[in-house]
Amino acid sequence: MDRDLSEDDSVGDLSFKAESPLAPPTELLERLSRHDYLLQSGRQQMLFPPSEAPGRPWEPLSWSSVLDCRVPVVTEELAREALLSFVNSKCCYGSAAAGALVIQELRQQTLFRYRLETFSESRLSEWTFQPFTNHLVDGPHRGTSPKLWDIKVQVPAMFQEDTRKSQVPHSSLVKDCHKCCGHGRYKCSGCHGAGTVRCPACSGAKRKARPPRRCPRCSGSGRCRCSMCSGRGSKTCSTCKGERKLVHFVQLVTMWRNSLFEFVSEPHLDCPRELLAKAKGENLFRDENSVVYPIVDFPLRDISLASRRGISQHSAALASRGRILQQRQTIELVPLTEVHYWYQGKTSVYYIYGTDHQVYAAAYPARCCCGCTIV
């Protein structure tokens, strides 16, 4: 409910220009103890995390035992079934060609996909405020504010991104609202503080031209009550909600992010790499720890190099803005089969990829329109 106007809330006192400061004035900042989280320019500030102890050292693996996992060989029957399933999922593909084409050759290849996930936490501080309702203020008089990385924050489940905000203890300060200058109200922009506006029915003429008579809308006064402020001439301040004062405090913003690095070994078959990056694979290796070490001596050297490159990139990117909480690296085996076939005097190919036998058939011969997306 709007407050009644008092003497110090007169319309003349409310003709000011509203401001939106990012931080309290300097004299308020000086009342707080200086720690690494305080904002000197009024903007958000990222905090450097404390150094963490490295994870356990790398333990050599016997890759011969890991690679014993075998993916079922794609037979001619399986290749045709996969194509028919793909064709039946497309509204404008005919299935007759899939059943009649002659499979001439199956070229199979095994790819390896390396994936590194890095779950990190970063913290920043920012000034914020809320209306002061005469509640208890946790200010500098109650003690010294802790450094941001000393504040305990509940960590979400690993590799689940989240953002949480919390108030830094002993950082609250009270001052007059910057928008209404402590009045609790500000001049209405609709009537400019007058409380009334020109009558929209007679445009202020007080009388209707046709027929000549006193305007019934304004009762001949030429003015109507302002609908924006209900005739008060001022409105309750939306910033302080009419409380006149704001409590400013330092807010801790904690962010958990999951960074991803992926690498797929070079295919010798002409299948789009973006499909192989999304293909389902057979898991060969999984390593999860607070910090993982690069893979060494993998039979395919490109995987070992990718592991070293991914870990290096994530470490460099997070060194200045957060700390690593957990890392997970995996190696998956992704099967790829190139199917050569003959149909109505022409030869062409389609591809079967992933352990779930997805199909890529860009040159499928029996399409009645081009409205389907080929995946």
Side-chain angles (χ1 to χ4, degrees):
M1 180 179 294
D2 288 352
R3 294 169 178 243
D4 292 328
L5 290 174
S6 59
E7 293 182 359
D8 61 338
D9 285 329
S10 62
V11 173
D13 294 331
L14 301 179
S15 57
F16 56 87
K17 191 173 183 179
E19 299 177 351
S20 298
L22 294 174
T26 305
E27 60 268 21
L28 289 181
L29 285 174
E30 291 175 350
R31 291 170 55 190
L32 289 177
S33 302
R34 291 189 177 274
H35 289 287
D36 62 346
Y37 65 83
L38 290 182
L39 308 181
Q40 304 304 322
S41 61
R43 298 182 179 276
Q44 292 181 333
Q45 178 180 352
M46 187 70 67
L47 284 308
F48 293 97
S51 58
E52 296 287 340
R56 52 143 178 80
W58 171 261
E59 297 178 2
L61 292 174
S62 173
W63 292 115
S64 59
S65 60
V66 174
L67 295 177
D68 283 343
C69 174
R70 296 178 60 85
V71 175
V73 175
V74 174
T75 62
E76 181 177 327
E77 180 182 2
L78 183 58
R80 193 180 301 276
E81 288 179 357
L83 180 61
L84 282 169
S85 178
F86 165 77
V87 168
N88 290 333
S89 68
K90 304 294 181 182
C91 62
C92 57
Y93 280 42
S95 59
L101 59 79
V102 178
I103 295 178
Q104 298 176 317
E105 183 182 7
L106 297 172
R107 297 180 183 177
Q108 299 191 168
Q109 181 185 357
T110 298
L111 306 177
F112 295 98
R113 180 173 57 211
Y114 171 80
R115 180 182 285 121
L116 171 68
E117 295 175 87
T118 298
F119 186 61
S120 62
E121 175 184 326
S122 59
R123 297 186 178 191
L124 58 82
S125 62
E126 60 184 9
W127 278 105
T128 189
F129 56 81
Q130 62 187 26
F132 175 59
T133 56
N134 293 319
H135 57 274
L136 181 64
V137 177
D138 185 15
H141 62 283
R142 296 178 62 87
T144 301
S145 295
K147 296 183 179 181
L148 291 192
W149 284 102
D150 293 336
I151 299 175
K152 293 184 178 181
V153 180
Q154 182 65 40
V155 179
M158 290 297 167
F159 305 104
Q160 298 296 316
E161 295 192 344
D162 196 5
T163 299
R164 296 178 190 171
K165 297 182 179 181
S166 57
Q167 183 175 335
V168 174
H170 316 320
S171 66
S172 299
L173 301 168
V174 177
K175 70 165 187 171
D176 287 343
C177 175
H178 57 267
K179 185 173 183 180
C180 65
C181 296
H183 291 91
R185 306 180 68 84
Y186 61 92
K187 182 187 291 186
C188 174
S189 60
C191 64
H192 304 287
T196 60
V197 294
R198 181 181 296 178
C199 176
C202 66
S203 300
K206 303 182 182 181
R207 300 182 68 83
K208 284 284 191 178
R210 295 181 181 179
R213 62 184 176 88
R214 187 174 65 175
C215 177
R217 176 76 178 270
C218 62
S219 301
S221 67
R223 301 188 69 83
C224 295
R225 186 174 67 172
C226 176
S227 60
M228 293 182 64
C229 64
S230 301
R232 290 176 176 268
S234 62
K235 299 177 67 176
T236 300
C237 178
S238 59
T239 299
C240 68
K241 311 300 182 185
E243 299 294 342
R244 305 173 183 248
K245 293 182 179 293
L246 298 172
V247 55
H248 292 252
F249 54 91
V250 179
Q251 183 170 249
L252 166 63
V253 182
T254 308
M255 296 167 289
W256 293 275
R257 296 292 180 263
N258 195 37
S259 304
L260 179 64
F261 175 90
E262 284 188 332
F263 172 81
V264 180
S265 59
E266 189 69 30
H268 301 299
L269 304 176
D270 193 20
C271 183
R273 291 183 63 87
E274 59 269 20
L275 297 180
L276 302 177
K278 301 175 183 178
K280 290 187 178 180
E282 183 74 24
N283 187 66
L284 297 179
F285 170 75
R286 176 190 174 101
D287 177 29
E288 182 175 331
N289 210 312
S290 55
V291 176
V292 297
Y293 284 76
I295 293 172
V296 294
D297 298 332
F298 191 78
L300 184 63
R301 185 169 179 268
D302 286 348
I303 294 296
S304 296
L305 294 177
S307 174
R308 184 178 299 276
R309 185 168 64 254
I311 292 174
S312 177
Q313 288 180 7
H314 281 192
S315 297
L318 295 170
S320 61
R321 63 180 178 88
R323 64 179 178 182
I324 296 175
L325 300 181
Q326 194 82 352
Q327 287 187 307
R328 178 169 62 199
Q329 60 180 347
T330 58
I331 300 176
E332 293 174 285
L333 184 149
V334 180
L336 174 63
T337 302
E338 185 178 68
V339 183
H340 292 251
Y341 66 89
W342 179 91
Y343 181 73
Q344 293 184 348
K346 295 181 180 180
T347 59
S348 189
V349 299
Y350 66 90
Y351 296 90
I352 302 173
Y353 61 93
T355 54
D356 55 347
H357 303 135
Q358 294 297 305
V359 170
Y360 173 74
Y364 185 71
R367 291 183 293 174
C368 59
C369 72
C370 58
C372 289
T373 301
I374 302 174
V375 292

